[in-house]
Amino acid sequence: MKAVPVPSISGVWLFQPTPHRDDRGFFSRTFDADVARSAGIDPDAFLQDSVSRSVRGVVRGMHLRSGAGEAKLVRCSYGEVFDVVVDLRPDSPTFRAMETFRLSGDTQESIYIPAGCAHGFQALSDIADVSYRIDRAHDPSEDVAIAHDDPELAIPWPLPAALLSERDASAPTLADALR
């Protein structure tokens, strides 16, 4: 496994494992504490693991946390997703930069998203499972959502958005969320 910095957004890392394939399928390491440390990420900081399952076209996001924020390590464990990260840290040299990724269960790549960055994804396969490692306990009062179709963000979602949650469907624009 190797950690590759994502130059377009400061502090974002792509973790690329090496799945071992044979006639049975594959085996892959999906997290390595030493590799995380080499990228300057404290592997002991993660407090919670979560998973979401989505059907084709579902968009989840754009989400972030207020206050101290929340860092997360995100991986598509099954299926395929179009993943989006937007840097919303005002003091960051890459403030308002956006990067997109295609994550899949075949590659098992993970993205480290630092606190202060918005995150979202769209399921591209019939079923897509996304696994998260999160560095803070969830506090619903700190949840922030930004409209996935905000023209200012201009996220190039590959499919029409389907089955949005009530929270995501009524999310404010980036400008309104930053006020």
Side-chain angles (χ1 to χ4, degrees), residues 26 32 39 42 44 55 59 69 72 102 106 135 139 160 174-175:
F26 73 86
D32 186 307
D42 177 5
D44 298 325
V55 297
V59 172
K72 51 184 136 178
R102 286 198 181 235
D106 289 338
D135 74 342
D139 179 349
L174 175 61

Side-chain angles (χ1 to χ4, degrees), residues 41-64:
I41 298 165
D42 177 5
D44 298 325
F46 295 110
L47 302 179
Q48 175 183 313
D49 284 2
S50 300
V51 65
S52 67
R53 174 166 286 170
S54 302
V55 297
R56 182 178 171 81
V58 164
V59 172
R60 293 183 187 258
M62 298 297 293
H63 300 153
L64 71 154

Side-chain angles (χ1 to χ4, degrees), residues 4-10 12 94 99:
V4 179
V6 176
S8 55
I9 302 180
S10 177
V12 173
T94 55
E99 187 62 67

Side-chain angles (χ1 to χ4, degrees), residues 56-60 121-123 148-149 157-164:
R56 182 178 171 81
V58 164
V59 172
R60 293 183 187 258
F121 67 87
Q122 182 175 48
H148 75 284
D149 57 354
W157 300 107
L159 302 172
L163 301 172
L164 294 170

Side-chain angles (χ1 to χ4, degrees), residues 63-123:
H63 300 153
L64 71 154
R65 298 266 302 277
S66 63
E70 164 184 270
K72 51 184 136 178
L73 189 64
V74 177
R75 174 175 57 90
C76 180
S77 54
Y78 180 84
E80 183 178 19
V81 299
F82 177 80
D83 201 89
V84 181
V85 178
V86 178
D87 187 349
L88 296 179
R89 302 167 293 173
D91 296 333
S92 170
T94 55
F95 180 56
R96 294 203 180 204
M98 176 179 57
E99 187 62 67
T100 64
F101 307 87
R102 286 198 181 235
L103 301 178
S104 80
D106 289 338
T107 66
Q108 296 293 313
E109 290 179 328
S110 297
I111 307 248
Y112 175 78
I113 304 163
C117 291
H119 173 254
F121 67 87
Q122 182 175 48

